[in-house]
């Protein structure tokens, strides 16, 4: 049974301004710098991108987020816990999955455009129940996405891509993409072979079940994560 049109419109209206952007770096629980110190500045502020971005190079780091500018690169170690916090003490107020991808720069990450290969190091989806209940999503009402850098990550400079997909308009083919990219230099012994490797754009299709997802039903489909599998760390 589907929810009423009134319930859908009321839900969409309540979420219309619940926008966010991940622009503050945390390392091992400590805030490092300010907004956009280590994160590339996008031109659409805290507003989302929509599925028309899926075939664009801007899917890598969001609208207008390019190499250069005043963005710094922060040095960390494999095994460190890295977090990316939402600006202005806001929260992730849309239901949907979160992802973190990494791409090793051939030289300095400050000049790297992300055109090389990427791998997924983290994903978060449903913690319980169905996708029609906002609080069933693990990231809902959290203030950040965070992961631990795999111990065997090859050392080097990386573009780290943070993404949350708001699914409240997925049924209308208008899933919302909240994306930023941070610049990190990762030290460590290495020894791993990240896989599977992908190119961006190319990781998603607008018709993927995990993007064109209908949460506005009492019996939602089992959620399927879009994109590649998470690297197993070996």
């Amino acid at each position: 049974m589907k929810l009423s049109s009134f319930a859908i419109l009321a839900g969409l209206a309540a979420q219309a301004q619940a926008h966010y952007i991940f622009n503050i770096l945390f390392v091992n629980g400590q805030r490092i710098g300010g907004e956009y110190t280590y994160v590339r500045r996008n031109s659409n502020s805290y507003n989302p991108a929509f599925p028309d971005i899926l075939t664009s190079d801007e899917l890598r780091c969001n609208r207008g987020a390019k190499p250069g500018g005043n963005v710094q690169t922060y040095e960390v170690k494999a095994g460190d816990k890295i977090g990316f916090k939402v600006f202005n003490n806001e929260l992730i107020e849309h239901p949907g999955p979160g992802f973190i991808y990494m791409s090793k720069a051939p030289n300095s990450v400050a000049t790297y455009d992300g055109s090389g290969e990427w791998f997924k190091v983290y994903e978060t989806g449903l913690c319980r129940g169905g996708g029609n209940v906002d609080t069933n999503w693990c990231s809902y009402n959290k203030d950040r996405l965070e992961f631990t850098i795999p111990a065997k990550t090859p050392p080097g400079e990386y573009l780290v891509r943070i993404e949350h997909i708001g699914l409240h308009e997925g049924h209308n083919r208008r899933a919302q993409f909240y994306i930023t990219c941070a610049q990190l230099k990762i030290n460590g012994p290495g020894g791993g072979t990240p896989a599977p490797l992908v190119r961006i754009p190319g990781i998603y299709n607008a018709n993927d079940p995990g993007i064109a997802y209908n949460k506005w039903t009492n019996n939602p489909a089992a959620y399927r994560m879009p994109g590649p599998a998470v690297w197993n760390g070996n």
Side-chain angles (χ1 to χ4, degrees), residues 11-22 46-50 86 90-98 124-125 131 133-142 145 164-170 174-178 215-216:
L12 291 174
Q15 295 182 359
Q17 297 304 318
H19 295 168
Y20 40 92
I21 196 73
F22 303 93
Y46 56 83
N47 295 306
F50 292 94
V86 176
E90 297 291 333
L91 301 173
I92 300 170
E93 294 181 321
H94 290 318
T124 179
V133 178
D134 290 354
T135 53
N136 286 349
W137 294 90
C138 304
S139 57
Y140 187 76
N141 265 349
K142 300 293 192 301
L145 294 177
H164 191 264
I165 304 177
L167 294 176
H168 51 296
E169 292 191 86
R174 281 181 60 82
Q176 296 185 359
F177 296 82
Y178 297 89
K215 74 173 292 287
W216 299 103

Side-chain angles (χ1 to χ4, degrees), residues 99-158:
F99 306 103
I100 297 177
Y101 293 77
M102 292 173 36
S103 181
K104 193 172 186 290
N107 296 293
S108 170
V109 69
T111 60
Y112 178 47
D113 64 359
S115 57
E117 295 173 321
W118 294 79
F119 56 98
K120 187 190 285 184
V121 290
Y122 173 80
E123 65 183 15
T124 179
L126 287 165
C127 282
R128 66 190 74 82
N132 58 333
V133 178
D134 290 354
T135 53
N136 286 349
W137 294 90
C138 304
S139 57
Y140 187 76
N141 265 349
K142 300 293 192 301
D143 69 353
R144 72 195 68 182
L145 294 177
E146 54 188 357
F147 78 111
T148 298
I149 300 174
K152 294 183 179 179
T153 300
E157 296 195 7
Y158 283 84

